[in-house]
Amino acid sequence: MPARKLKKRVVIAMLRLIMRRGPTPGAIYDLERDEITIGRGSKNTIIIRDNEVSREHCRLVRNGDDFDVHDLGSSNGTFVNGQRAVGGTRPLRPGALIELGDSITLEYERINLPILQQKSKDDTEPKADADAPSRHYVTVTKGPGLGKIFPLDDIIITVGREATSDISLPDPEVSRYHLRLRREKRGYSVEDMGSTNGTMLNDLPLTQPTLLAHHDALRLGTMVQLQYIRQGAEISDGPGEDDTGAHKPVVLTPVREQTLIASRGAGNVTRILGTGLESGILRDHIFLVYDRYDWQKVAAPLMMSLNDFGFKVWVDQYLANDTDAWRAAMNQAKRECPIMVLVVSPHSMINPVLKTVYRDFRNQNKPIIPLLYESTVPATGSLNVAKPIVFSTVEPQKSAQELREAILKYRPVRG
């Protein structure tokens, strides 16, 4: 009689860079390719918009379990733990600090995650572990609480920015009530709760309740990612996999309680492919427009404050720039959103795409409220406003309160 296949716990290493100093402190870049380029140019794997960074600054090349850093002739140099990479390479080890010029610091990090693996014929484990009932977890692989593991043991589990959520993720891109996990016969299903920045399941928009498979990845906005882990059951028997082990998502038929997004619109709901948005869903949203360089310092805390005031806000942060999905979503936002808040900064005022966006919005005779940040640009003439709001980094809440009062003058629909 052939030996029964059991599973043992093994650990896989996830390699990443974390921005410790620069335009977006705390940003995490997963190193999933064997070769990764870093620079200011749009063709790089990791794009860092800073004047200290060359268009093509450096390259990471996988070497065994880690990476080597190659400087690409950058103007301001690439340094590893204070040593300049000149005419050659510098090896990376966990905890190493990479400096690009004088203003950018990236930390190289290795995160170990437990997974399950089939044992070989002759391997044995106590039968009690092999026959144990399935256990379900989600672990934070990106964002606040990195590495934390949450056991799933309730029928309904809520995930959101609110402290009262079962899984609380205090990140500005996470909505107060972002998504919901529901226990099913074969595991847990997941559904988005009408979040502002959307949920991606394995890089596809989550638009309806779906049964999770072992190792499925859930991305909330752009800065938070969770991974679903199912232990104590054969992986080949898990939800979402066929006889070959290939992933096949199982889509559940929504019941009345689960059709929260669809119930907001009138008549038949139509979707725009790839954006995760439904026709008409942005009619009660504020369109927050900004250069992505200003996301961390201005746009993200501003969005959180507006959410706290009860406004619904839409941003394009969860979509990749200059893609069909991004263009479709931006056009929908220009068409449906009743009001725009524009972050006026040195970066946004030289961004030709943003200029087109607010010009198109203004041509529809819709109100635009400018918020000046590190800028003395006389934007009032081109924006048809009498008095812009100045964003104060010292008193951000005061600036948000002024913005709230300005928005209320136009009486947009509130959430």
Side-chain angles (χ1 to χ4, degrees):
M1 212 177 149
R4 181 179 177 182
K5 287 185 180 179
L6 301 176
K7 290 179 292 190
K8 60 182 178 181
R9 292 186 180 185
V10 297
V11 171
I12 60 170
M14 295 183 64
L15 302 174
R16 63 188 67 212
L17 294 176
I18 302 176
M19 183 174 287
R20 297 303 185 192
R21 190 164 55 103
T24 54
I28 299 176
Y29 307 96
D30 292 324
L31 307 180
E32 298 175 340
R33 304 181 185 179
D34 291 335
E35 186 171 303
I36 293 162
T37 57
I38 303 175
R40 198 176 69 246
S42 59
K43 294 183 179 180
N44 289 285
T45 314
I46 298 175
I47 302 170
I48 300 178
R49 295 180 179 175
D50 189 278
N51 292 333
E52 287 281 313
V53 179
S54 296
R55 185 169 292 278
E56 296 175 350
H57 199 104
C58 65
R59 179 186 293 118
L60 305 185
V61 178
R62 192 178 294 276
N63 183 2
D65 294 333
D66 288 295
F67 282 86
D68 290 337
V69 178
H70 302 250
D71 185 82
L72 298 177
S74 63
S75 300
N76 296 307
T78 302
F79 302 81
V80 179
N81 294 332
Q83 300 296 312
R84 185 163 188 164
V86 180
T89 65
R90 287 280 174 184
L92 291 179
R93 296 293 179 264
L97 295 179
I98 305 171
E99 294 174 282
L100 311 181
D102 293 325
S103 60
I104 307 296
T105 301
L106 303 168
E107 182 178 359
Y108 177 66
E109 187 177 69
R110 178 187 290 143
I111 297 293
N112 294 323
L113 292 176
I115 64 169
L116 294 178
Q117 188 181 55
Q118 297 291 346
K119 280 196 165 185
S120 62
K121 294 182 192 178
D122 300 326
D123 286 342
T124 58
E125 269 190 13
K127 241 181 193 180
D129 288 347
D131 296 331
S134 298
R135 294 182 180 179
H136 308 268
Y137 308 86
V138 291
T139 180
V140 181
T141 57
K142 190 174 182 180
L146 183 64
K148 190 169 183 180
I149 297 174
F150 296 92
L152 307 181
D153 47 21
D154 288 334
I155 296 176
I156 298 291
I157 296 168
T158 57
V159 181
R161 201 176 76 235
E162 281 287 310
T164 55
S165 297
D166 297 314
I167 298 176
S168 178
L169 301 169
D171 184 273
E173 291 192 37
V174 177
S175 294
R176 288 179 170 186
Y177 307 102
H178 200 106
L179 60 83
R180 176 170 62 183
L181 300 165
R182 181 191 293 272
R183 189 163 64 201
E184 311 286 349
K185 288 183 179 179
R186 292 188 291 159
Y188 274 84
S189 65
V190 61
E191 64 174 310
D192 187 272
M193 301 293 289
S195 64
T196 300
N197 292 310
T199 302
M200 305 290 281
L201 173 58
N202 299 328
D203 295 325
L204 293 174
L206 180 66
T207 57
Q208 54 188 312
T210 304
L211 199 62
L212 289 171
H214 182 57
H215 277 175
D216 271 350
L218 293 165
R219 193 169 80 244
L220 290 66
T222 61
M223 302 300 293
V224 178
Q225 183 166 299
L226 306 174
Q227 186 175 47
Y228 172 68
I229 298 173
R230 183 170 182 253
Q231 292 185 331
E234 295 294 332
I235 295 177
S236 60
D237 294 335
E241 297 182 0
D242 58 21
D243 294 336
T244 66
H247 177 75
K248 286 174 63 179
V250 179
V251 177
L252 304 179
T253 302
V255 296
R256 179 177 297 274
E257 185 184 0
Q258 296 172 317
T259 56
L260 296 178
I261 301 177
S263 65
R264 293 177 183 171
N268 294 327
V269 174
T270 57
R271 298 182 184 277
I272 297 177
L273 182 62
T275 67
L277 298 175
E278 295 158 353
S279 178
I281 200 170
L282 298 181
R283 289 172 184 163
D284 57 356
H285 282 61
I286 296 166
F287 189 9
L288 179 57
V289 177
Y290 55 94
D291 186 276
R292 294 200 177 190
Y293 184 92
D294 302 319
W295 168 251
Q296 195 76 17
K297 291 184 178 178
V298 186
L302 192 63
M303 186 182 81
M304 185 180 290
S305 294
L306 292 175
N307 285 159
D308 290 341
F309 288 141
F311 296 111
K312 295 178 181 178
V313 183
W314 187 80
V315 296
D316 69 331
Q317 192 75 16
Y318 71 104
L319 293 167
N321 262 333
D322 202 28
T323 60
D324 289 341
W326 177 83
R327 281 186 285 270
M330 292 293 280
N331 286 334
Q332 182 176 347
K334 287 189 290 186
R335 186 173 63 251
E336 295 182 359
C337 290
I339 188 171
M340 174 189 289
V341 172
L342 173 66
V343 176
V344 180
S345 73
H347 288 91
S348 66
M349 285 296 96
I350 61 173
N351 187 323
V353 175
L354 295 192
K355 288 183 178 180
T356 301
V357 169
Y358 74 73
R359 190 179 299 118
D360 291 348
F361 202 86
R362 184 189 61 192
N363 289 341
Q364 299 177 67
N365 294 317
K366 293 182 181 181
I368 299 174
I369 301 176
L371 186 85
L372 300 191
Y373 170 65
E374 291 185 348
S375 176
T376 55
V377 177
T380 54
S382 61
L383 295 173
N384 293 332
V385 294
K387 184 182 178 183
I389 296 169
V390 177
F391 182 82
S392 170
T393 55
V394 179
E395 297 180 294
Q397 280 302 113
K398 182 180 178 182
S399 303
Q401 183 63 39
E402 289 181 29
L403 182 59
R404 173 182 178 273
E405 293 171 4
I407 291 172
L408 288 176
K409 290 180 181 178
Y410 297 102
R411 292 189 175 89
V413 178
R414 300 184 63 185

